[in-house]
Amino acid sequence: MAFEVSVFLENKIAHFERITNILKAENINIRSLTLSNIVHGWGVMNLLVDQPEKAYKALADKGNSVTLHEVIVLEMKDEAGGLDELLVKLSKIGIHIESAYSRLVSQTNMALLVLQVPDVIEARKRLEKNGIQVLKDEVAYGR
């Protein structure tokens, strides 16, 4: 199971840096991230890191509003249309995507799609039933 760390933070100078500084001090590698402004100067940073539990604890211990939740990580072709091909398959089997971002593993040229879905257990069942492999966390984190 792969996990994503989400941090709720105010959009102010150095707030982004404060998060990355905590992770750097704990020797936690950020593999992918998104930063979204959600409302009135507040945002959410979603992080795929190599040590999510440690990142959660480090960020929470420093007073950050942080959550840890399971995500689904799938491989897609690293070529034009690779994402579209995977999304068509997901749509056909009824996978609802709440949030998504990608990651490229340079050592293997593997393209990954990280998904937040409303029901991880149901999504995993549908993926397995349709022969779509959910990647192990070691692959997702790039260990």
Side-chain angles (χ1 to χ4, degrees):
M1 297 187 294
F3 287 89
E4 173 185 81
V5 177
S6 295
V7 186
F8 185 65
L9 67 155
E10 193 170 9
N11 278 343
K12 286 188 173 180
I13 293 174
H15 278 206
F16 192 176
E17 177 188 347
R18 188 170 45 91
I19 300 303
T20 59
N21 202 283
I22 293 167
L23 298 176
K24 176 184 170 186
E26 294 292 329
N27 200 32
I28 296 168
N29 192 2
I30 299 170
R31 308 311 269 162
S32 188
L33 73 85
T34 62
L35 178 61
S36 303
N37 186 20
I38 54 172
V39 64
H40 304 295
W42 289 88
V44 174
M45 182 186 309
N46 293 315
L47 300 156
L48 188 67
V49 297
D50 64 344
Q51 303 170 74
E53 295 88 0
K54 183 177 177 183
Y56 171 83
K57 183 173 179 355
L59 292 166
D61 287 351
K62 295 288 186 179
N64 293 285
S65 178
V66 59
T67 63
L68 183 67
H69 50 274
E70 189 175 2
V71 291
I72 292 175
V73 183
L74 304 173
E75 183 176 4
M76 61 184 170
K77 292 179 184 173
D78 183 22
E79 60 186 39
L83 175 59
D84 183 63
E85 183 180 313
L86 180 56
L87 291 176
V88 167
K89 289 178 185 177
L90 297 179
S91 185
K92 284 182 180 177
I93 63 173
I95 302 292
H96 174 69
I97 299 169
E98 292 182 333
S99 174
Y101 53 94
S102 62
R103 174 181 189 297
L104 182 65
V105 181
S106 60
Q107 301 91 328
T108 60
N109 288 330
M110 178 185 265
L112 309 180
L113 182 63
V114 181
L115 303 173
Q116 287 183 11
V117 298
D119 186 341
V120 173
I121 294 169
E122 179 60 28
R124 283 180 171 273
K125 286 179 189 175
R126 289 180 185 205
L127 291 164
E128 184 178 310
K129 181 179 176 182
N130 288 278
I132 301 172
Q133 180 184 3
V134 175
L135 298 176
K136 294 180 181 184
D137 59 346
E138 297 85 22
V139 176
Y141 305 147
R143 292 185 187 157

